[in-house]
Amino acid sequence: MRAGVPTGQRRLARLMRDALPYAGLVAVVVFFSLASDFFFNLRNFERLVTDSATLMLVAFGMTLVILLGEIDLSVGAVVALLAVILAQIMDAGFSWPLAVLAVLGLGFAIGLLNGVVTVLGDIPSFIVTLGMMAIATGLSFVFTGAISIAIMNEPFLMLFYDARFLGLPVPLWITGAAFTAILVFMMRTVPGRELFAVGANPGAARLSGVPLRRRKITVFAIMGVLVAMAAILSAARLGSGAPASVPALTLDAIAAVIIGGASLFGGRASLVRTLMGAALIAVLNNGMVLMNVNIDAQYLVKGVIILIAVVLERLASGART
């Protein structure tokens, strides 16, 4: 048992930590419903669900990465780069299915590269993905000359943004399928359950026969595929590929996982609470835009929520902050 924080305080902090994404989501929905005449209506909720798909896909992957005690700072820049490449492929006259497959393959390759360099090079993922962020940002501007590339392919835009299946937007189905697949992987497969052991105690996991290197590389590869899927939906939503098109995505994805109660030291994470955390961030973004809150104040609000989540996590774990 860790010393430092009394047992009663730990239990209360644990309860507050676990309830934060649910209570926070209810609170911001109620607040914006009362504060804005444009928030609580079907049209805005449909737009909210569609626009939040990019964040949720990246947050799901970030959950796996943080579960291992790692971090990926490149996701926002890579989403922008892959959206640019997607737009360029279609602009060159190739079909949208080919463009989508190419981007998925590139996303996988980038994630795999992050994992291989981190694991085989024994370099902190913070440094590796920071470098990838710089590379992806630079390539986005080199490829475009800092000018957005419009996507004129109507079937692509219709399928990945406007289309509905059984009355629900296609991005919601894609997000739901990704959520279900990752949840099953985490909770119902041996490799998925081993991620908790790797994050909690790498040494013990290694002695138990868990292939640490393979698990970490696999998680970064999965992250790359999810980032590619997010880039496809982002490009369809914006109708273009643009450098630096999602500047706050990395922060928002990490915030969603932290608000969901994950430990930045690894070993604990909940995909369900990450989903609620991502929904909370998405509602905050949507509501603050509707209320014309400036971007600096938006960062301030999200920063305060992140700090609250981190403090609760530290208290819940029994360590003094």
Side-chain angles (χ1 to χ4, degrees), residues 181-240:
I182 296 172
L183 186 63
V184 170
F185 170 69
M186 289 176 65
M187 308 307 297
R188 299 296 182 183
T189 69
V190 172
R193 292 195 299 270
E194 287 176 345
L195 299 183
F196 291 88
V198 173
N201 193 327
R206 183 184 294 108
L207 292 175
S208 299
V210 177
L212 269 68
R213 291 185 170 186
R214 191 186 311 165
R215 294 292 174 261
K216 287 192 175 185
I217 292 173
T218 298
V219 163
F220 276 101
I222 293 172
M223 176 89 255
V225 173
L226 290 168
V227 164
M229 293 169 62
I232 293 166
L233 296 184
S234 176
R237 178 174 64 88
L238 298 175
S240 66

Tab-separated table of all heavy atoms in Angstrom, residues 181-240:
chain	number	residue	atom	x	y	z
A	181	ALA	N	-14.040	-2.828	-31.646
A	181	ALA	CA	-12.878	-3.669	-31.957
A	181	ALA	C	-11.781	-3.500	-30.908
A	181	ALA	O	-11.195	-4.488	-30.439
A	181	ALA	CB	-12.338	-3.312	-33.339
A	182	ILE	N	-11.521	-2.261	-30.505
A	182	ILE	CA	-10.451	-2.023	-29.528
A	182	ILE	C	-10.863	-2.524	-28.152
A	182	ILE	O	-10.046	-3.075	-27.402
A	182	ILE	CB	-10.096	-0.526	-29.484
A	182	ILE	CG1	-9.532	-0.092	-30.831
A	182	ILE	CG2	-9.075	-0.242	-28.380
A	182	ILE	CD1	-9.339	1.398	-30.961
A	183	LEU	N	-12.141	-2.350	-27.797
A	183	LEU	CA	-12.615	-2.832	-26.504
A	183	LEU	C	-12.482	-4.349	-26.408
A	183	LEU	O	-12.027	-4.892	-25.392
A	183	LEU	CB	-14.063	-2.407	-26.281
A	183	LEU	CG	-14.662	-2.718	-24.905
A	183	LEU	CD1	-13.902	-1.949	-23.816
A	183	LEU	CD2	-16.143	-2.365	-24.873
A	184	VAL	N	-12.865	-5.041	-27.474
A	184	VAL	CA	-12.726	-6.499	-27.502
A	184	VAL	C	-11.254	-6.884	-27.418
A	184	VAL	O	-10.876	-7.817	-26.694
A	184	VAL	CB	-13.371	-7.075	-28.779
A	184	VAL	CG1	-13.016	-8.558	-28.937
A	184	VAL	CG2	-14.892	-6.901	-28.733
A	185	PHE	N	-10.419	-6.164	-28.150
A	185	PHE	CA	-8.980	-6.442	-28.124
A	185	PHE	C	-8.414	-6.279	-26.719
A	185	PHE	O	-7.656	-7.135	-26.233
A	185	PHE	CB	-8.259	-5.494	-29.091
A	185	PHE	CG	-6.754	-5.526	-28.967
A	185	PHE	CD1	-6.030	-6.639	-29.365
A	185	PHE	CD2	-6.065	-4.430	-28.458
A	185	PHE	CE1	-4.643	-6.663	-29.242
A	185	PHE	CE2	-4.679	-4.445	-28.334
A	185	PHE	CZ	-3.967	-5.564	-28.729
A	186	MET	N	-8.795	-5.194	-26.026
A	186	MET	CA	-8.263	-4.915	-24.695
A	186	MET	C	-8.745	-5.911	-23.644
A	186	MET	O	-7.980	-6.324	-22.774
A	186	MET	CB	-8.651	-3.494	-24.257
A	186	MET	CG	-7.937	-2.382	-24.986
A	186	MET	SD	-8.541	-0.740	-24.477
A	186	MET	CE	-8.023	-0.694	-22.751
A	187	MET	N	-10.013	-6.271	-23.721
A	187	MET	CA	-10.631	-7.027	-22.637
A	187	MET	C	-10.791	-8.521	-22.908
A	187	MET	O	-10.941	-9.302	-21.971
A	187	MET	CB	-12.009	-6.430	-22.315
A	187	MET	CG	-11.992	-4.925	-22.059
A	187	MET	SD	-10.792	-4.402	-20.798
A	187	MET	CE	-11.444	-5.253	-19.363
A	188	ARG	N	-10.771	-8.927	-24.182
A	188	ARG	CA	-11.102	-10.322	-24.502
A	188	ARG	C	-9.985	-11.084	-25.205
A	188	ARG	O	-10.192	-12.246	-25.567
A	188	ARG	CB	-12.363	-10.362	-25.393
A	188	ARG	CG	-13.598	-9.763	-24.751
A	188	ARG	CD	-14.021	-10.556	-23.532
A	188	ARG	NE	-15.242	-10.014	-22.926
A	188	ARG	CZ	-15.794	-10.491	-21.817
A	188	ARG	NH1	-15.237	-11.522	-21.209
A	188	ARG	NH2	-16.883	-9.945	-21.319
A	189	THR	N	-8.832	-10.455	-25.420
A	189	THR	CA	-7.731	-11.173	-26.057
A	189	THR	C	-6.522	-11.172	-25.128
A	189	THR	O	-6.347	-10.270	-24.304
A	189	THR	CB	-7.331	-10.534	-27.406
A	189	THR	OG1	-6.716	-9.251	-27.166
A	189	THR	CG2	-8.543	-10.358	-28.305
A	190	VAL	N	-5.699	-12.170	-25.272
A	190	VAL	CA	-4.498	-12.266	-24.431
A	190	VAL	C	-3.542	-11.096	-24.670
A	190	VAL	O	-3.081	-10.461	-23.715
A	190	VAL	CB	-3.788	-13.621	-24.669
A	190	VAL	CG1	-2.433	-13.646	-23.948
A	190	VAL	CG2	-4.665	-14.767	-24.198
A	191	PRO	N	-3.228	-10.751	-25.938
A	191	PRO	CA	-2.337	-9.602	-26.161
A	191	PRO	C	-2.896	-8.307	-25.565
A	191	PRO	O	-2.145	-7.494	-25.025
A	191	PRO	CB	-2.233	-9.521	-27.684
A	191	PRO	CG	-2.520	-10.895	-28.159
A	191	PRO	CD	-3.549	-11.429	-27.209
A	192	GLY	N	-4.208	-8.124	-25.666
A	192	GLY	CA	-4.817	-6.912	-25.124
A	192	GLY	C	-4.722	-6.847	-23.617
A	192	GLY	O	-4.382	-5.797	-23.048
A	193	ARG	N	-4.997	-7.950	-22.958
A	193	ARG	CA	-4.907	-7.977	-21.493
A	193	ARG	C	-3.460	-7.832	-21.027
A	193	ARG	O	-3.195	-7.292	-19.949
A	193	ARG	CB	-5.530	-9.262	-20.945
A	193	ARG	CG	-7.047	-9.339	-21.124
A	193	ARG	CD	-7.644	-10.427	-20.244
A	193	ARG	NE	-7.129	-11.742	-20.568
A	193	ARG	CZ	-7.659	-12.565	-21.459
A	193	ARG	NH1	-8.748	-12.193	-22.129
A	193	ARG	NH2	-7.142	-13.762	-21.688
A	194	GLU	N	-2.524	-8.293	-21.854
A	194	GLU	CA	-1.116	-8.164	-21.490
A	194	GLU	C	-0.650	-6.714	-21.470
A	194	GLU	O	0.334	-6.397	-20.793
A	194	GLU	CB	-0.250	-8.982	-22.457
A	194	GLU	CG	-0.357	-10.491	-22.243
A	194	GLU	CD	0.427	-11.273	-23.264
A	194	GLU	OE1	0.808	-10.678	-24.294
A	194	GLU	OE2	0.653	-12.486	-23.052
A	195	LEU	N	-1.349	-5.844	-22.181
A	195	LEU	CA	-0.967	-4.429	-22.199
A	195	LEU	C	-1.044	-3.826	-20.800
A	195	LEU	O	-0.221	-2.975	-20.438
A	195	LEU	CB	-1.866	-3.639	-23.150
A	195	LEU	CG	-1.858	-4.052	-24.621
A	195	LEU	CD1	-2.744	-3.109	-25.428
A	195	LEU	CD2	-0.442	-4.060	-25.180
A	196	PHE	N	-2.028	-4.251	-20.019
A	196	PHE	CA	-2.159	-3.744	-18.653
A	196	PHE	C	-0.935	-4.159	-17.821
A	196	PHE	O	-0.413	-3.358	-17.033
A	196	PHE	CB	-3.438	-4.279	-18.004
A	196	PHE	CG	-4.702	-3.725	-18.605
A	196	PHE	CD1	-5.303	-4.333	-19.693
A	196	PHE	CD2	-5.286	-2.585	-18.074
A	196	PHE	CE1	-6.470	-3.825	-20.251
A	196	PHE	CE2	-6.448	-2.065	-18.619
A	196	PHE	CZ	-7.045	-2.682	-19.709
A	197	ALA	N	-0.492	-5.390	-18.006
A	197	ALA	CA	0.674	-5.877	-17.263
A	197	ALA	C	1.940	-5.155	-17.698
A	197	ALA	O	2.782	-4.785	-16.866
A	197	ALA	CB	0.828	-7.387	-17.469
A	198	VAL	N	2.083	-4.932	-18.995
A	198	VAL	CA	3.264	-4.236	-19.514
A	198	VAL	C	3.336	-2.822	-18.958
A	198	VAL	O	4.397	-2.346	-18.540
A	198	VAL	CB	3.248	-4.204	-21.056
A	198	VAL	CG1	4.380	-3.327	-21.579
A	198	VAL	CG2	3.364	-5.611	-21.618
A	199	GLY	N	2.197	-2.129	-18.933
A	199	GLY	CA	2.182	-0.760	-18.438
A	199	GLY	C	2.386	-0.676	-16.941
A	199	GLY	O	3.041	0.245	-16.444
A	200	ALA	N	1.845	-1.640	-16.197
A	200	ALA	CA	1.925	-1.599	-14.734
A	200	ALA	C	3.303	-1.974	-14.225
A	200	ALA	O	3.836	-1.335	-13.313
A	200	ALA	CB	0.877	-2.520	-14.129
A	201	ASN	N	3.891	-3.026	-14.815
A	201	ASN	CA	5.191	-3.493	-14.343
A	201	ASN	C	5.916	-4.209	-15.487
A	201	ASN	O	5.804	-5.436	-15.627
A	201	ASN	CB	5.014	-4.435	-13.151
A	201	ASN	CG	6.315	-4.704	-12.428
A	201	ASN	OD1	7.390	-4.746	-13.009
A	201	ASN	ND2	6.221	-4.886	-11.124
A	202	PRO	N	6.655	-3.457	-16.313
A	202	PRO	CA	7.321	-4.058	-17.475
A	202	PRO	C	8.266	-5.204	-17.096
A	202	PRO	O	8.328	-6.218	-17.805
A	202	PRO	CB	8.102	-2.888	-18.078
A	202	PRO	CG	7.402	-1.660	-17.586
A	202	PRO	CD	6.888	-2.005	-16.229
A	203	GLY	N	8.987	-5.038	-15.981
A	203	GLY	CA	9.925	-6.079	-15.579
A	203	GLY	C	9.238	-7.390	-15.263
A	203	GLY	O	9.660	-8.459	-15.721
A	204	ALA	N	8.154	-7.312	-14.487
A	204	ALA	CA	7.408	-8.519	-14.141
A	204	ALA	C	6.760	-9.131	-15.379
A	204	ALA	O	6.714	-10.364	-15.519
A	204	ALA	CB	6.343	-8.189	-13.095
A	205	ALA	N	6.260	-8.272	-16.278
A	205	ALA	CA	5.641	-8.779	-17.499
A	205	ALA	C	6.669	-9.524	-18.356
A	205	ALA	O	6.377	-10.588	-18.917
A	205	ALA	CB	5.035	-7.624	-18.294
A	206	ARG	N	7.876	-9.001	-18.423
A	206	ARG	CA	8.935	-9.659	-19.200
A	206	ARG	C	9.269	-11.025	-18.605
A	206	ARG	O	9.419	-12.019	-19.324
A	206	ARG	CB	10.184	-8.780	-19.230
A	206	ARG	CG	11.319	-9.358	-20.091
A	206	ARG	CD	12.582	-8.508	-20.036
A	206	ARG	NE	12.359	-7.198	-20.641
A	206	ARG	CZ	12.265	-6.064	-19.947
A	206	ARG	NH1	12.349	-6.086	-18.612
A	206	ARG	NH2	12.080	-4.922	-20.552
A	207	LEU	N	9.373	-11.082	-17.269
A	207	LEU	CA	9.684	-12.346	-16.607
A	207	LEU	C	8.555	-13.360	-16.782
A	207	LEU	O	8.789	-14.575	-16.706
A	207	LEU	CB	9.946	-12.106	-15.123
A	207	LEU	CG	11.220	-11.315	-14.776
A	207	LEU	CD1	11.292	-11.034	-13.295
A	207	LEU	CD2	12.461	-12.071	-15.252
A	208	SER	N	7.339	-12.867	-17.017
A	208	SER	CA	6.183	-13.752	-17.220
A	208	SER	C	6.076	-14.224	-18.658
A	208	SER	O	5.145	-14.959	-19.011
A	208	SER	CB	4.902	-13.025	-16.824
A	208	SER	OG	4.929	-12.656	-15.451
A	209	GLY	N	6.982	-13.792	-19.502
A	209	GLY	CA	6.992	-14.239	-20.891
A	209	GLY	C	6.244	-13.357	-21.862
A	209	GLY	O	6.040	-13.738	-23.019
A	210	VAL	N	5.837	-12.171	-21.428
A	210	VAL	CA	5.130	-11.254	-22.320
A	210	VAL	C	6.140	-10.618	-23.280
A	210	VAL	O	7.155	-10.066	-22.824
A	210	VAL	CB	4.406	-10.146	-21.528
A	210	VAL	CG1	3.734	-9.159	-22.480
A	210	VAL	CG2	3.385	-10.754	-20.579
A	211	PRO	N	5.888	-10.673	-24.591
A	211	PRO	CA	6.809	-10.049	-25.558
A	211	PRO	C	6.615	-8.530	-25.582
A	211	PRO	O	5.845	-8.001	-26.388
A	211	PRO	CB	6.400	-10.686	-26.881
A	211	PRO	CG	4.958	-11.036	-26.706
A	211	PRO	CD	4.790	-11.388	-25.252
A	212	LEU	N	7.323	-7.821	-24.709
A	212	LEU	CA	7.128	-6.381	-24.538
A	212	LEU	C	7.331	-5.607	-25.832
A	212	LEU	O	6.517	-4.750	-26.193
A	212	LEU	CB	8.093	-5.838	-23.466
A	212	LEU	CG	7.577	-5.827	-22.024
A	212	LEU	CD1	7.407	-7.244	-21.499
A	212	LEU	CD2	8.529	-5.052	-21.120
A	213	ARG	N	8.418	-5.890	-26.523
A	213	ARG	CA	8.724	-5.136	-27.741
A	213	ARG	C	7.617	-5.294	-28.776
A	213	ARG	O	7.182	-4.320	-29.394
A	213	ARG	CB	10.066	-5.588	-28.310
A	213	ARG	CG	11.269	-5.200	-27.457
A	213	ARG	CD	12.562	-5.579	-28.144
A	213	ARG	NE	13.721	-5.005	-27.468
A	213	ARG	CZ	14.967	-5.080	-27.924
A	213	ARG	NH1	15.210	-5.731	-29.060
A	213	ARG	NH2	15.951	-4.524	-27.250
A	214	ARG	N	7.182	-6.525	-28.960
A	214	ARG	CA	6.131	-6.777	-29.953
A	214	ARG	C	4.841	-6.071	-29.590
A	214	ARG	O	4.153	-5.507	-30.447
A	214	ARG	CB	5.890	-8.284	-30.078
A	214	ARG	CG	5.023	-8.681	-31.264
A	214	ARG	CD	4.705	-10.157	-31.225
A	214	ARG	NE	5.912	-10.956	-31.014
A	214	ARG	CZ	5.894	-12.233	-30.658
A	214	ARG	NH1	4.733	-12.838	-30.439
A	214	ARG	NH2	7.024	-12.904	-30.486
A	215	ARG	N	4.495	-6.095	-28.293
A	215	ARG	CA	3.254	-5.448	-27.865
A	215	ARG	C	3.313	-3.946	-28.096
A	215	ARG	O	2.343	-3.332	-28.553
A	215	ARG	CB	2.999	-5.745	-26.389
A	215	ARG	CG	2.724	-7.207	-26.076
A	215	ARG	CD	1.397	-7.661	-26.656
A	215	ARG	NE	1.224	-9.103	-26.456
A	215	ARG	CZ	1.461	-10.018	-27.395
A	215	ARG	NH1	1.855	-9.631	-28.601
A	215	ARG	NH2	1.282	-11.308	-27.158
A	216	LYS	N	4.444	-3.327	-27.771
A	216	LYS	CA	4.553	-1.879	-27.943
A	216	LYS	C	4.521	-1.491	-29.415
A	216	LYS	O	3.846	-0.530	-29.800
A	216	LYS	CB	5.828	-1.356	-27.279
A	216	LYS	CG	5.775	-1.347	-25.762
A	216	LYS	CD	6.928	-0.560	-25.160
A	216	LYS	CE	6.780	-0.454	-23.641
A	216	LYS	NZ	7.812	0.406	-23.036
A	217	ILE	N	5.230	-2.218	-30.238
A	217	ILE	CA	5.229	-1.910	-31.671
A	217	ILE	C	3.831	-2.087	-32.250
A	217	ILE	O	3.366	-1.281	-33.068
A	217	ILE	CB	6.252	-2.803	-32.408
A	217	ILE	CG1	7.681	-2.418	-31.994
A	217	ILE	CG2	6.088	-2.675	-33.919
A	217	ILE	CD1	8.748	-3.346	-32.529
A	218	THR	N	3.134	-3.139	-31.814
A	218	THR	CA	1.763	-3.376	-32.287
A	218	THR	C	0.838	-2.222	-31.929
A	218	THR	O	0.033	-1.771	-32.759
A	218	THR	CB	1.209	-4.681	-31.677
A	218	THR	OG1	2.010	-5.782	-32.109
A	218	THR	CG2	-0.238	-4.911	-32.103
A	219	VAL	N	0.963	-1.726	-30.703
A	219	VAL	CA	0.097	-0.626	-30.266
A	219	VAL	C	0.353	0.627	-31.098
A	219	VAL	O	-0.590	1.313	-31.521
A	219	VAL	CB	0.307	-0.344	-28.766
A	219	VAL	CG1	-0.245	1.035	-28.385
A	219	VAL	CG2	-0.380	-1.420	-27.937
A	220	PHE	N	1.607	0.947	-31.369
A	220	PHE	CA	1.902	2.129	-32.186
A	220	PHE	C	1.395	1.944	-33.620
A	220	PHE	O	0.950	2.910	-34.259
A	220	PHE	CB	3.400	2.428	-32.182
A	220	PHE	CG	3.846	3.237	-30.991
A	220	PHE	CD1	4.460	2.629	-29.910
A	220	PHE	CD2	3.624	4.611	-30.948
A	220	PHE	CE1	4.859	3.376	-28.807
A	220	PHE	CE2	4.022	5.361	-29.853
A	220	PHE	CZ	4.647	4.748	-28.770
A	221	ALA	N	1.442	0.717	-34.131
A	221	ALA	CA	0.906	0.451	-35.470
A	221	ALA	C	-0.607	0.644	-35.492
A	221	ALA	O	-1.164	1.224	-36.442
A	221	ALA	CB	1.279	-0.963	-35.912
A	222	ILE	N	-1.293	0.165	-34.445
A	222	ILE	CA	-2.740	0.379	-34.337
A	222	ILE	C	-3.042	1.869	-34.260
A	222	ILE	O	-3.981	2.367	-34.893
A	222	ILE	CB	-3.295	-0.347	-33.101
A	222	ILE	CG1	-3.200	-1.870	-33.276
A	222	ILE	CG2	-4.751	0.056	-32.836
A	222	ILE	CD1	-3.557	-2.653	-32.033
A	223	MET	N	-2.225	2.602	-33.494
A	223	MET	CA	-2.387	4.048	-33.398
A	223	MET	C	-2.302	4.684	-34.780
A	223	MET	O	-3.082	5.572	-35.131
A	223	MET	CB	-1.290	4.611	-32.484
A	223	MET	CG	-1.259	6.114	-32.352
A	223	MET	SD	-2.311	6.745	-31.015
A	223	MET	CE	-3.671	7.394	-31.963
A	224	GLY	N	-1.352	4.210	-35.598
A	224	GLY	CA	-1.187	4.757	-36.942
A	224	GLY	C	-2.407	4.541	-37.823
A	224	GLY	O	-2.818	5.434	-38.579
A	225	VAL	N	-3.012	3.353	-37.731
A	225	VAL	CA	-4.219	3.070	-38.528
A	225	VAL	C	-5.380	3.953	-38.080
A	225	VAL	O	-6.123	4.500	-38.909
A	225	VAL	CB	-4.595	1.579	-38.416
A	225	VAL	CG1	-5.934	1.311	-39.094
A	225	VAL	CG2	-3.503	0.708	-39.031
A	226	LEU	N	-5.543	4.123	-36.770
A	226	LEU	CA	-6.618	4.973	-36.257
A	226	LEU	C	-6.405	6.433	-36.647
A	226	LEU	O	-7.360	7.154	-36.962
A	226	LEU	CB	-6.715	4.835	-34.739
A	226	LEU	CG	-7.234	3.491	-34.244
A	226	LEU	CD1	-7.018	3.341	-32.740
A	226	LEU	CD2	-8.720	3.336	-34.571
A	227	VAL	N	-5.155	6.874	-36.660
A	227	VAL	CA	-4.846	8.232	-37.098
A	227	VAL	C	-5.202	8.396	-38.574
A	227	VAL	O	-5.738	9.433	-38.982
A	227	VAL	CB	-3.352	8.544	-36.849
A	227	VAL	CG1	-2.906	9.766	-37.639
A	227	VAL	CG2	-3.109	8.782	-35.363
A	228	ALA	N	-4.925	7.378	-39.376
A	228	ALA	CA	-5.280	7.433	-40.789
A	228	ALA	C	-6.793	7.511	-40.979
A	228	ALA	O	-7.296	8.283	-41.817
A	228	ALA	CB	-4.717	6.216	-41.518
A	229	MET	N	-7.534	6.717	-40.218
A	229	MET	CA	-8.998	6.778	-40.287
A	229	MET	C	-9.491	8.157	-39.878
A	229	MET	O	-10.410	8.718	-40.495
A	229	MET	CB	-9.597	5.708	-39.371
A	229	MET	CG	-9.327	4.287	-39.827
A	229	MET	SD	-9.776	3.035	-38.571
A	229	MET	CE	-11.533	3.341	-38.419
A	230	ALA	N	-8.867	8.735	-38.858
A	230	ALA	CA	-9.237	10.081	-38.419
A	230	ALA	C	-8.945	11.101	-39.506
A	230	ALA	O	-9.716	12.045	-39.715
A	230	ALA	CB	-8.484	10.437	-37.139
A	231	ALA	N	-7.828	10.931	-40.218
A	231	ALA	CA	-7.482	11.851	-41.303
A	231	ALA	C	-8.506	11.787	-42.429
A	231	ALA	O	-8.862	12.826	-43.019
A	231	ALA	CB	-6.091	11.508	-41.836
A	232	ILE	N	-8.982	10.595	-42.737
A	232	ILE	CA	-9.998	10.435	-43.790
A	232	ILE	C	-11.277	11.170	-43.414
A	232	ILE	O	-11.853	11.918	-44.226
A	232	ILE	CB	-10.272	8.941	-44.029
A	232	ILE	CG1	-9.036	8.267	-44.625
A	232	ILE	CG2	-11.487	8.747	-44.940
A	232	ILE	CD1	-9.072	6.749	-44.589
A	233	LEU	N	-11.724	10.991	-42.178
A	233	LEU	CA	-12.950	11.666	-41.734
A	233	LEU	C	-12.741	13.168	-41.618
A	233	LEU	O	-13.646	13.959	-41.925
A	233	LEU	CB	-13.408	11.090	-40.395
A	233	LEU	CG	-13.808	9.616	-40.399
A	233	LEU	CD1	-14.341	9.208	-39.023
A	233	LEU	CD2	-14.852	9.330	-41.474
A	234	SER	N	-11.558	13.596	-41.186
A	234	SER	CA	-11.265	15.018	-41.085
A	234	SER	C	-11.271	15.678	-42.457
A	234	SER	O	-11.827	16.776	-42.636
A	234	SER	CB	-9.900	15.229	-40.411
A	234	SER	OG	-9.549	16.592	-40.376
A	235	ALA	N	-10.663	15.024	-43.439
A	235	ALA	CA	-10.626	15.571	-44.793
A	235	ALA	C	-12.030	15.675	-45.379
A	235	ALA	O	-12.372	16.652	-46.057
A	235	ALA	CB	-9.742	14.699	-45.680
A	236	ALA	N	-12.862	14.657	-45.128
A	236	ALA	CA	-14.236	14.690	-45.629
A	236	ALA	C	-15.034	15.793	-44.956
A	236	ALA	O	-15.842	16.484	-45.601
A	236	ALA	CB	-14.900	13.334	-45.392
A	237	ARG	N	-14.822	15.992	-43.660
A	237	ARG	CA	-15.554	17.029	-42.925
A	237	ARG	C	-15.180	18.424	-43.404
A	237	ARG	O	-16.043	19.293	-43.591
A	237	ARG	CB	-15.275	16.903	-41.425
A	237	ARG	CG	-15.937	17.958	-40.562
A	237	ARG	CD	-15.727	17.678	-39.087
A	237	ARG	NE	-14.335	17.740	-38.708
A	237	ARG	CZ	-13.717	18.871	-38.321
A	237	ARG	NH1	-14.387	20.008	-38.300
A	237	ARG	NH2	-12.446	18.848	-37.974
A	238	LEU	N	-13.878	18.649	-43.624
A	238	LEU	CA	-13.405	19.976	-44.050
A	238	LEU	C	-13.524	20.167	-45.566
A	238	LEU	O	-13.481	21.307	-46.044
A	238	LEU	CB	-11.946	20.171	-43.627
A	238	LEU	CG	-11.678	20.149	-42.119
A	238	LEU	CD1	-10.175	20.222	-41.854
A	238	LEU	CD2	-12.404	21.300	-41.427
A	239	GLY	N	-13.640	19.068	-46.294
A	239	GLY	CA	-13.698	19.168	-47.745
A	239	GLY	C	-12.369	19.551	-48.363
A	239	GLY	O	-12.311	20.034	-49.497
A	240	SER	N	-11.279	19.298	-47.637
A	240	SER	CA	-9.951	19.678	-48.137
A	240	SER	C	-8.880	19.000	-47.298
A	240	SER	O	-9.148	18.469	-46.220
A	240	SER	CB	-9.761	21.197	-48.080
A	240	SER	OG	-9.756	21.648	-46.734
